[in-house]
């Protein structure tokens, strides 16, 4: 896959980037170089290789999912002007 000058100018326009003709030519070469590297990656045989989340093998540290504080609904709505069964009451704004 390669990028032509018209595509570079279109992308620059969509990104609101001002490019003159010289910059557009340079950008076309750089983008084609990047796309060439990406195409080289597709040639690598990765069958049997497990996906990695890090370059070193590690196990994610997980904490136990325990409720450490709760049953504070009365404290939470204590300063509210109006409540009903531990819910905040607010004026209706949509009819």
């Amino acid at each position: 896959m390669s990028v032509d000058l018209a595509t570079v100018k279109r992308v620059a326009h969509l990104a609101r980037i001002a490019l003159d003709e010289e910059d557009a030519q340079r950008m076309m070469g750089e983008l084609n170089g990047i796309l060439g590297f990406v195409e080289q990656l597709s040639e690598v045989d990765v069958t049997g290789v497990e996906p990695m989340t890090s370059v070193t093998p590690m196990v994610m540290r997980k904490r136990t999912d325990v409720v450490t504080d709760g049953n504070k609904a009365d404290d939470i709505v204590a300063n509210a002007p109006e409540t009903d069964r531990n819910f905040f009451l607010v004026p209706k704004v949509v009819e």
Side-chain angles (χ1 to χ4, degrees):
M1 175 179 200
S2 65
V3 176
D4 60 352
L5 192 59
T7 304
V8 171
K9 288 181 179 181
R10 182 169 171 2
V11 170
H13 174 72
L14 292 172
R16 305 292 193 259
I17 299 172
L19 288 179
D20 59 11
E21 197 66 31
E22 182 181 324
D23 288 337
Q25 288 287 343
R26 184 178 49 82
M27 189 65 63
M28 182 177 69
E30 290 178 7
L31 288 173
N32 283 326
I34 292 169
L35 290 174
F37 290 133
V38 172
E39 285 179 3
Q40 284 180 357
L41 289 174
S42 67
E43 297 172 6
V44 177
D45 182 21
V46 292
T47 55
V49 177
E50 292 186 33
M52 297 178 3
T53 58
S54 174
V55 293
T56 58
M58 58 178 20
V59 178
M60 280 186 64
R61 288 176 271 181
K62 299 177 187 171
R63 65 172 173 80
T64 56
D65 191 15
V66 177
V67 176
T68 57
D69 61 346
N71 298 324
K72 293 187 177 188
D74 293 328
D75 296 336
I76 293 170
V77 298
N79 291 331
E82 292 185 53
T83 62
D84 180 24
R85 296 180 311 222
N86 293 327
F87 291 100
F88 294 99
L89 293 179
V90 295
K92 185 177 181 179
V93 294
V94 178
E95 293 187 34

